[in-house]
Amino acid sequence: MMDVRHLEELLDVALKNAPRASDVLLSPGSPVLASVLGELHPVTEGLPALLTEADTAAMARALLENRPHAKADHAATGSADLALALPSGTRLRANVFLRLGATAMVFRRLPDVVPTAASLGLPRLVTEAASARDGLVVVAGSTGSGKSTTLAALIDAINQTRAVHVITLEDPVEYLHAPRRALVTQRELGQDFQEFASGLRAAMRQAPRVILVGEIRDRDTAEAALRAAETGHLVLCTVHSTDCGGMVSRLAGLFEPAEERFARTALAGCLRVAVAQRLAPTVDGARTAVFEVMAPTLRVREMIVSGETEEATFSELIAQGKPHGMIGFPSSLGRLLLAGRVTEETVAAYAADRAEAVRIIDAVRAAAGKTDAAGTVKLEIERG
């Protein structure tokens, strides 16, 4: 009979055979697959040549058996997230899901060490947010864009520098924070609390100064996060959106039309910084984040309240906001290209369109070799 131990052994073998893998995929009708730099490679040494529907279903049942919240999610939605620690010490984030009625699983390897803001190359405005006393810090991005990693780096910065109580509400817990100057109380959805909104309300009674919310995905959680940010707490959260403007629309859209103005006003008043990110491949075979950073200037706050128009958009304000520390995706891509970390092909693939890619590449080619008195390259690359 298949149990969790057999699944753990399979994953250990797969990761030993593919030590650079970021993910392991188990899907019926396919060999075990390892994702290395975004490309899938079969892993067959010491493993089944092909997995069957019975194999993956049995492994999923064993994995979900003692996790009632994940089991209920899977039954209700066909998908569930959870964390798994292998006997080797490797920690994984797992997603169990249905495809055409059969069960498949993806396991994401989690780093052993909590990343630092410096190691991730986080922009200055984002790292400075770790010292804010209150307000809302929002990290936006699609699934797999590194949002949780950025939040982990900010919590680590707080842990290193501030003697405060930090409560994290995660789904699942990915990075483990040892006590340093701060006390970091990590709570996992399903195991320690049942909903993000109720977890947030409970956290307010647990003497925190900093609260991390794994994801704002419904109205009640958004309202609780805004209220916490307005009442003297620093709230760090993620929102599923591809850019900062989409983040504003996503949060505002969680509220009823009659409440939207209130929500936008609250967001404009408490926002400390918004960052959107995407992961792009680097020339050395790793991946790096491409950032868009929005500071809450007066014009940005006004646009949060009133919304974008055809004449004025958040991306345009960000492009004009370099004096305030703002960064647009084109500028971030350009800096990576100028530093030799990404190729022109990567810029072409990750720019908004061909015209933007050409502007970035031409600007970098023109700027290469031009330095100021301090020997640093001058580069002005922004949309518009």
Side-chain angles (χ1 to χ4, degrees):
M1 180 179 176
M2 176 67 68
D3 58 20
V4 172
R5 180 173 57 84
H6 290 95
L7 173 60
E8 292 172 344
E9 290 173 353
L10 180 150
L11 292 169
D12 258 333
V13 170
L15 291 171
K16 286 175 183 176
N17 289 339
R20 298 182 65 199
S22 60
D23 301 86
V24 175
L25 293 77
L26 308 181
S27 186
S30 168
V32 176
L33 296 171
S35 177
V36 181
L37 302 179
E39 293 190 359
L40 297 180
H41 302 270
V43 183
T44 56
E45 185 177 347
L47 297 172
L50 292 176
L51 296 170
T52 67
E53 289 190 22
D55 291 333
T56 57
M59 286 187 281
R61 282 195 300 271
L63 186 61
L64 296 172
E65 186 58 37
N66 295 317
R67 296 172 171 86
H69 188 274
K71 189 175 182 179
D73 272 354
H74 186 264
T77 68
S79 177
D81 293 307
L82 59 146
L84 177 67
L86 301 181
S88 62
T90 300
R91 298 186 69 250
L92 304 167
R93 182 181 67 194
N95 183 266
V96 183
F97 60 97
L98 294 175
R99 33 82 83 205
L100 298 176
T103 303
M105 289 170 281
V106 175
F107 296 87
R108 166 67 53 89
R109 186 204 298 262
L110 300 175
D112 299 326
V113 178
V114 178
T116 65
S119 70
L120 297 179
L122 296 186
R124 174 181 57 82
L125 283 184
V126 181
T127 58
E128 288 178 351
S131 62
R133 296 297 165 181
D134 59 14
L136 189 69
V137 175
V138 186
V139 181
S142 59
T143 301
S145 61
K147 300 186 297 296
S148 297
T149 302
T150 293
L151 287 182
L154 292 179
I155 293 297
D156 180 69
I158 293 168
N159 196 11
Q160 300 278 1
T161 58
R162 299 174 60 182
V164 295
H165 186 200
V166 180
I167 295 178
T168 74
L169 307 172
E170 303 176 67
D171 180 26
V173 169
E174 297 187 13
Y175 296 89
L176 299 177
H177 297 272
R180 299 186 187 279
R181 288 204 67 193
L183 171 63
V184 184
T185 300
Q186 295 183 258
R187 308 186 69 207
E188 185 167 295
L189 182 70
Q191 178 175 308
D192 304 310
F193 63 97
Q194 297 307 308
E195 301 291 342
F196 278 118
S198 60
L200 247 173
R201 287 190 287 268
M204 298 287 282
R205 300 188 293 272
Q206 294 157 5
R209 292 302 303 272
V210 180
I211 305 171
L212 181 150
V213 186
E215 183 181 357
I216 294 182
R217 57 179 72 150
D218 58 63
R219 179 209 173 279
D220 289 347
T221 305
E223 181 184 37
L226 290 171
R227 184 169 298 171
E230 290 177 317
T231 54
H233 304 83
L234 178 61
V235 179
L236 315 179
C237 65
T238 74
V239 172
H240 193 87
S241 173
T242 57
D243 56 28
C244 293
M247 174 276 295
V248 174
S249 297
R250 168 74 172 159
L251 285 180
L254 294 174
F255 292 83
E256 296 295 329
E259 303 174 306
E260 185 173 329
R261 182 81 177 184
F262 158 78
R264 285 180 173 273
T265 301
L267 176 61
C270 67
L271 183 68
R272 294 293 170 262
V273 69
V275 55
Q277 58 186 69
R278 306 162 185 171
L279 291 183
T282 58
V283 295
D284 59 0
R287 293 192 297 175
T288 189
V290 183
F291 296 105
E292 179 182 72
V293 180
M294 184 172 75
T297 61
L298 178 59
R299 291 184 67 196
V300 167
R301 292 185 191 278
E302 289 174 347
M303 188 173 288
I304 290 174
V305 175
S306 60
E308 294 179 295
T309 66
E310 291 185 1
E311 293 75 29
T313 65
F314 283 108
S315 62
E316 291 170 347
L317 290 187
I318 291 168
Q320 299 160 11
K322 185 178 179 182
H324 302 284
M326 292 192 245
I327 301 171
F329 282 125
S331 179
S332 186
L333 273 172
R335 294 174 186 184
L336 291 169
L337 179 61
L338 187 62
R341 297 197 62 201
V342 301
T343 65
E344 291 185 358
E345 290 75 15
T346 296
V347 170
Y350 283 80
D353 51 43
R354 178 178 175 79
E356 180 177 274
V358 169
R359 286 197 299 271
I360 294 170
I361 293 169
D362 286 349
V364 169
R365 288 175 177 174
K370 298 179 181 179
T371 60
D372 60 19
T376 58
V377 176
K378 292 183 177 179
L379 180 62
E380 298 286 345
I381 304 173
E382 287 290 354
R383 189 186 306 271

